[in-house]
Amino acid sequence: MTKEYKFENYDIGERIFILKYKDKCTAIDFSGRNIIQPIYQKLQFKGNYILAKNENNKTGVILKDNPQTIIVPFEYTDIIPLDKEFFYIRDDEYIGLYSINEKKIIIPTILPVNMQLFPQYLGEGVIGYKLNSEKGFINFDGEKQFTFNGNFKTGFNNNFAYIIQHNKCVKIDKLGNKLEETEIIIDKNEEDDICWTEEDSWDVMTDGAFGKYPGGDIDYEKFGF
């Protein structure tokens, strides 16, 4: 490579080198194949997707194998990988949710930026959320279905979900009404009986990529550009 290229960083998992050329980012794979031309301000690889920031400081998502294909338009302040199936989309102080599998926006950018969403508890038009110390389910229009004290166990399926409250597994409907509850008996010698915590949910949501669960409000900016 000529001296105009400067090493920026590399991604071992994606087998990519990111370089700077005239203050723009370009990328080559470990075999030396050029992945993307130097036209973007920032690049972040996520599987077959590239999160890129353009010259207008707007972020979008393009395909790694076909960089001309725009998956998420360059309209957002930031886009943050949430798990293998979803991206947070951010517009200043508001966030929404984009589904990679469905290739569409599930929730527009109408939610407060400090709201945490849990895709593993998504189903039937609602999704689990946490806002400060408040937990509950919210619909795709940003309207809160109900809040509860305890921990999530499942998302909604066939119009009901399960939560954990006071060592009980509680079956609830979409209004938050308790349909039935069962005492949880934990055998400490059986790992399968241990209930999941918010820390476990954090690991699933981020594929463990961001280390130990930080607790409290999440600083989304440290996951973005």
Side-chain angles (χ1 to χ4, degrees), residues 68-137:
Q68 288 73 39
T69 301
I70 299 174
I71 301 300
V72 182
F74 286 81
E75 299 175 355
Y76 299 99
T77 306
D78 204 357
I79 296 177
I80 305 161
L82 183 55
D83 63 7
K84 295 178 180 179
E85 299 181 15
F86 296 94
F87 292 128
Y88 277 127
I89 50 177
R90 179 176 178 178
D91 187 7
D92 294 327
E93 297 306 311
Y94 297 93
I95 62 165
L97 193 66
Y98 181 90
S99 170
I100 297 173
N101 288 343
E102 296 185 35
K103 295 182 173 60
K104 68 178 184 179
I105 293 172
I106 300 297
I107 304 176
T109 49
I110 56 176
L111 304 177
V113 70
N114 59 333
M115 179 176 284
Q116 182 179 357
L117 299 176
F118 297 96
Q120 65 269 40
Y121 306 125
L122 181 152
E124 299 184 346
V126 297
I127 186 172
Y129 79 91
K130 183 177 180 182
L131 181 61
N132 301 320
S133 60
E134 178 184 279
K135 295 178 186 177
F137 285 88

Side-chain angles (χ1 to χ4, degrees), residues 151-216:
N151 291 308
F152 297 100
K153 182 172 175 62
T154 72
F156 275 89
N157 186 25
N158 295 323
N159 293 313
F160 65 85
Y162 290 96
I163 60 174
I164 303 298
Q165 287 183 323
H166 309 299
N167 293 324
K168 292 183 179 180
C169 183
V170 182
K171 184 179 180 179
I172 51 175
D173 64 19
K174 286 187 177 179
L175 296 177
N177 298 314
K178 295 182 179 181
L179 304 179
E180 61 183 58
E181 54 185 47
T182 306
E183 192 80 24
I184 297 174
I185 300 175
I186 299 177
D187 183 348
K188 294 184 178 180
N189 294 321
E190 295 290 338
E191 291 184 357
D192 290 342
D193 289 336
I194 298 175
C195 296
W196 274 39
T197 65
E198 292 298 312
E199 289 84 352
D200 298 316
S201 298
W202 167 264
D203 288 339
V204 170
M205 182 179 70
T206 66
D207 295 331
F210 299 118
K212 185 178 179 182
Y213 176 70

Side-chain angles (χ1 to χ4, degrees), residues 10 12 17 39 45 52 71 116 134 151 208 211 214:
Y10 66 94
I12 294 178
F17 290 105
I39 58 175
F45 285 77
I71 301 300
Q116 182 179 357
E134 178 184 279
N151 291 308

